């Protein structure tokens, strides 16, 4: 029988919508290199690490080969643009309904954590005034393998002192749903991830969680 005791939330695309900033920053880099890049291409970068995102963008690159130093510089340049865009974020970037879902779940006795591939997760949480909303934060700074590897969620479960089979992962990316499944956790898909058909639950909005966790 299902025994969910903790919920691990992906950040970008679930709690906040920083994907538009990722897009703007990657678009600057792609334009500079003459690579076609649109919002559909950007969808492929959901939940994927920064370095892997660059590799995906470079699939359409036809210029002179880039060595690892040049790739590192491009990823850093993208991050500088991205972080500058993030600095405009405020508490208003998290909807009231998202805040209500988080506090309701906590009041019902569930532990909650963030499980994000981003190395900027803590900065984002601070900017949107969510830094005290979670029992744990597992992010791109404490993992070696990015989603669809389950590492970020397994570390999150560990930080919460919960077994994977007692955790529910909430994700907007196929890579994240696959990661949660690989980690032996329950998974709930929202947004783009619903299309992958691999989650235990498909949600229309985050407040559907209040029914799943009844
Ligand atoms: P950074 P999530 C992910 O966040 C984003 O969806 C993905 O597009 C991004 O490449 C990744 O974080 C790494 O982000 O460059 O800030 O370290 O969805 O796992 O919360
Ligand atoms: Mg995401």
């Amino acid at each position: 029988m299902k025994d969910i005791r903790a919920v691990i939330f992906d950040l970008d695309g679930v709690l906040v919508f920083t994907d538009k900033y990722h897009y703007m920053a990657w678009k600057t880099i792609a334009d500079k290199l003459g690579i076609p890049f649109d919002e559909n291409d950007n969808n492929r970068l959901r939940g994927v690490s920064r370095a892997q995102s660059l590799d995906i963008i470079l699939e359409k690159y036809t210029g002179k080969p880039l060595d690892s130093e040049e790739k590192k510089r491009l990823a850093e340049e993208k991050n500088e643009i991205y972080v500058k865009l993030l600095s405009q974020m405020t508490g208003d970037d998290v909807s009231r309904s998202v805040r209500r879902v988080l506090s309701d779940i906590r009041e019902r006795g569930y532990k909650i954590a963030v499980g994000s591939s981003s190395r900027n997760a803590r900065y984002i949480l601070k900017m949107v005034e969510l830094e005290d909303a979670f029992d744990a934060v597992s992010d791109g700074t404490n993992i070696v393998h990015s989603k669809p590897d389950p590492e970020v969620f397994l570390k999150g479960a560990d930080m919460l002192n919960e077994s994977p089979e007692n955790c529910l992962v909430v994700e907007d990316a196929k890579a994240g749903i696959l990661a949660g499944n690989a980690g032996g956790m329950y998974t709930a898909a929202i947004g783009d991830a619903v299309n992958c058909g691999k989650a235990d639950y498909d949600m229309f909005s985050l407040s559907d969680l209040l029914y799943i966790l009844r």
Side-chain angles (χ1 to χ4, degrees):
M1 217 187 75
K2 170 174 80 149
D3 181 16
I4 297 172
R5 297 181 200 166
V7 185
I8 308 181
F9 292 88
D10 172 55
L11 182 59
D12 171 31
V14 171
L15 303 175
V16 294
F17 297 91
T18 44
D19 41 357
K20 57 181 181 285
Y21 300 135
H22 280 297
Y23 174 68
M24 289 160 79
W26 280 127
K27 177 82 180 137
T28 306
I29 302 297
D31 285 352
K32 201 168 110 168
L33 296 171
I35 302 171
F37 182 66
D38 62 19
E39 306 235 4
N40 273 336
D41 298 313
N42 195 55
N43 278 339
R44 286 184 64 206
L45 313 182
R46 283 180 195 282
V48 170
S49 74
R50 198 180 307 164
Q52 284 170 309
S53 298
L54 178 61
D55 285 337
I56 292 173
I57 290 168
L58 289 175
E59 285 171 10
K60 291 187 188 163
Y61 175 63
T62 51
K64 74 166 176 55
L66 301 169
D67 64 26
S68 59
E69 269 309 304
E70 285 167 311
K71 287 211 243 174
K72 203 172 146 215
R73 264 202 305 278
L74 287 170
E76 277 166 11
E77 193 182 331
K78 180 267 172 179
N79 193 52
E80 277 167 28
I81 301 166
Y82 177 61
V83 170
K84 221 172 257 168
L85 292 166
L86 291 180
S87 71
Q88 309 161 10
M89 293 185 90
T90 68
D92 291 340
D93 284 292
V94 175
S95 70
R96 277 204 209 142
S97 77
V98 166
R99 286 185 199 275
R100 198 166 43 239
V101 168
L102 294 176
S103 62
D104 274 16
I105 289 175
R106 237 179 168 183
E107 270 168 34
R108 290 185 194 185
Y110 293 93
K111 292 182 199 166
I112 60 172
V114 166
S116 167
S117 301
S118 177
R119 300 180 68 83
N120 296 298
R122 283 185 189 273
Y123 178 60
I124 295 169
L125 291 172
K126 180 169 162 271
M127 294 310 292
V128 301
E129 297 162 22
L130 275 181
E131 75 248 76
D132 299 323
F134 297 92
D135 300 298
V137 175
S138 174
D139 62 21
T141 64
N142 62 246
I143 54 168
V144 177
H145 307 289
S146 186
K147 302 167 189 176
D149 188 283
E151 186 180 9
V152 73
F153 295 132
L154 292 175
K155 291 252 165 77
D158 204 42
M159 289 174 188
L160 294 175
N161 269 320
E162 291 292 349
S163 303
E165 63 267 27
N166 299 125
C167 295
L168 172 71
V169 163
V170 183
E171 260 289 350
D172 74 310
K174 180 181 178 185
I177 294 294
L178 297 179
N181 290 343
M185 300 168 178
Y186 291 98
T187 48
I190 192 164
D192 213 48
V194 170
N195 301 325
C196 80
K198 302 274 185 208
D200 295 300
Y201 304 97
D202 287 329
M203 301 192 298
F204 178 69
S205 89
L206 204 66
S207 43
D208 293 354
L209 272 181
L210 301 175
Y211 297 96
I212 294 171
L213 296 171
R214 252 190 313 210

